């Protein structure tokens, strides 16, 4: 069934107020659209847990530090709505820019520490934009549960910390990364890859899996890092922004995973920035 598309906060609140009065559990899946199976797995998880499910689509200008990136971001609302039909969600919330950031909007949510590393170093202001819009979406939807992919692992940890620090009563669920058959992590940005680049893209995950195996055998990451970066670049990536092992909870840099940790990477392929992460210790 096609979900009602609501574009204003007033319409959204009129619906959620009824659900809250009935004691229903509300789940939200925040997205920027261009939905793929990774997003749909989040919707599936929300449907299993919650009485009501809201999917949001908002290409958030505040989290883009590059105007071309914002301009080129895929916008596929019609297809997205069609892909959601089989889930029978309750609302597809698609606010526009002025609805989300009305004239005079002047507030920013900053989560310090967690945002100073990894993608935060390479995309100044990005996570302020994410934390601000996600805080707004949590408050706008009054959701009890929110669903995010582990593919954006740093984002997930930032959102968790933001909700905790601001006392927003919501449970943030991290869901497993969904991959293409060749290992490439699903991402809306994959749509921007040319056919030639798409063939090369799985090399990033292949190399990460190889490193994870070495780490599991006890090799310190510092002995693997340089050669791994060279192999990724030799496979066709133009630049590896980072390839690091970090603790899950506070993203502290580790050489050997003495506590639950992930290997995280960002690299450019033919003008497209890809990120990925895998567990090196659960
Ligand atoms: O992961 C995304 O698609 C976005 O960063 C999010 C969480 C929807 C905020 O705009």
């Amino acid at each position: 069934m096609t979900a009602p598309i609501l574009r204003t906060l007033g319409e959204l609140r009129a619906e959620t107020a009824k659900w809250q009065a009935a004691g229903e559990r509300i789940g939200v899946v925040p997205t920027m659209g261009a939905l793929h199976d990774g997003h749909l797995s989040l919707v599936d998880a929300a449907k299993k847990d919650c009485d009501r499910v809201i999917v949001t689509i908002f290409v958030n200008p505040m989290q883009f530090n590059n105007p071309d990136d914002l301009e080129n971001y895929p916008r596929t609302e019609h297809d997205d709505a069609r892909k959601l039909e089989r889930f029978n969600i309750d609302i597809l919330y698609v606010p526009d820019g002025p609805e989300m950031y009305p004239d005079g909007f002047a507030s920013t949510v900053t989560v310090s520490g967690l945002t100073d590393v990894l993608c935060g170093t390479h995309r100044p202001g990005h996570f302020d934009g994410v934390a601000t819009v996600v805080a707004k979406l949590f408050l706008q939807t009054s959701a009890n549960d929110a669903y995010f992919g582990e593919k954006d692992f740093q984002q997930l940890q930032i959102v968790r910390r933001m909700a905790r620090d601001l006392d927003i009563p919501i449970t943030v669920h991290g869901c497993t990364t969904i991959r293409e058959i060749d290992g490439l992590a699903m991402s809306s940005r994959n749509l921007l890859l040319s056919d030639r680049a798409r063939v090369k893209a799985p090399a990033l995950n292949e190399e990460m899996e190889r490193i994870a195996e070495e780490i599991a055998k006890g090799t310190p990451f510092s002995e693997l890092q340089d050669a791994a970066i060279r192999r990724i670049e030799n496979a066709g990536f133009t630049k590896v922004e980072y390839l690091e092992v970090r603790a899950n909870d506070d993203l502290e840099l580790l050489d050997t995973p003495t506590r639950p940790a992930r290997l995280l990477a960002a690299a450019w392929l033919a003008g497209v920035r890809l990120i990925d992460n895998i567990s090196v210790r659960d």
Side-chain angles (χ1 to χ4, degrees):
M1 211 180 65
T2 315
I5 299 180
L6 304 187
R7 299 190 190 271
T8 68
L9 180 55
E11 291 170 305
L12 178 68
R13 288 230 164 109
E15 288 305 306
T16 55
K18 289 186 237 159
W19 301 343
Q20 283 182 303
E24 290 178 316
R25 185 170 163 189
I26 304 172
V28 65
V29 181
T31 82
M32 296 205 297
L35 301 184
H36 50 66
D37 284 353
H39 295 116
L40 300 182
S41 73
L42 307 180
V43 178
D44 199 36
K47 282 292 293 184
K48 287 191 176 117
D49 292 346
C50 303
D51 302 306
R52 301 287 185 171
V53 172
I54 303 170
V55 175
T56 73
I57 298 180
F58 180 63
V59 182
N60 175 29
M62 198 174 168
Q63 70 185 76
F64 285 82
N65 49 321
N66 174 341
D68 290 342
D69 196 18
L70 173 60
E71 175 79 20
N72 295 334
Y73 201 84
R75 288 163 173 84
T76 56
E77 183 185 314
H78 183 75
D79 281 357
D80 293 341
R82 200 179 36 75
K83 285 180 190 166
L84 288 167
E85 277 172 10
R86 68 187 160 99
F87 294 96
N88 283 329
I89 62 164
D90 296 275
I91 289 175
L92 179 57
Y93 179 50
V94 192
D96 65 11
E99 185 68 19
M100 191 59 85
Y101 301 119
D103 260 359
F105 185 86
S107 303
T108 301
V109 178
T110 298
V111 180
S112 52
L114 291 178
T115 57
D116 299 337
V117 297
L118 301 167
C119 292
T121 328
H122 298 272
R123 304 185 67 190
H126 167 68
F127 286 122
D128 285 358
V130 171
T132 304
V133 82
V134 173
K136 282 175 69 76
L137 289 168
F138 284 179
L139 296 169
Q140 291 183 345
T141 58
S142 316
N144 307 91
D145 296 83
Y147 297 80
F148 291 83
E150 284 185 341
K151 151 129 187 322
D152 296 298
F153 192 78
Q154 185 177 15
Q155 167 174 281
L156 170 65
Q157 299 306 63
I158 289 166
V159 165
R160 283 188 164 133
R161 184 71 63 85
M162 176 275 291
R164 193 198 71 180
D165 288 356
L166 299 184
D167 305 314
I168 302 180
I170 194 163
T171 304
V172 176
H173 302 263
C175 303
T176 318
T177 302
I178 306 296
R179 296 183 182 278
E180 304 288 355
I181 200 114
D182 57 12
L184 176 66
M186 287 194 187
S187 164
S188 307
R189 286 176 194 276
N190 296 352
L191 289 176
L192 304 173
L193 292 170
S194 65
D195 289 351
R196 274 187 73 200
R198 175 62 189 83
V199 173
K200 295 176 184 167
L204 181 63
N205 178 251
E206 278 161 28
E207 189 55 39
M208 292 173 76
E209 291 290 348
R210 199 180 353 237
I211 300 169
E213 272 174 36
E214 288 301 319
I215 291 174
K217 288 184 207 154
T219 315
F221 177 63
S222 51
E223 292 178 19
L224 306 165
Q225 188 177 24
D226 289 349
I229 290 174
R230 266 198 311 279
R231 279 194 296 270
I232 293 167
E233 291 180 344
N234 287 342
F237 283 77
T238 43
K239 182 175 163 52
V240 176
E241 275 185 358
Y242 61 77
L243 180 68
E244 293 176 354
V245 174
R246 290 191 175 261
N248 282 2
D249 51 358
D250 58 5
L251 302 180
E252 188 197 344
L253 198 57
L254 301 175
D255 195 21
T256 46
T258 44
R259 54 202 175 102
R262 300 188 83 87
L263 172 66
L264 305 105
W268 287 86
L269 177 63
V272 182
R273 187 175 182 275
L274 299 179
I275 60 171
D276 200 352
N277 71 86
I278 58 175
S279 174
V280 287
R281 179 170 160 182
D282 287 328

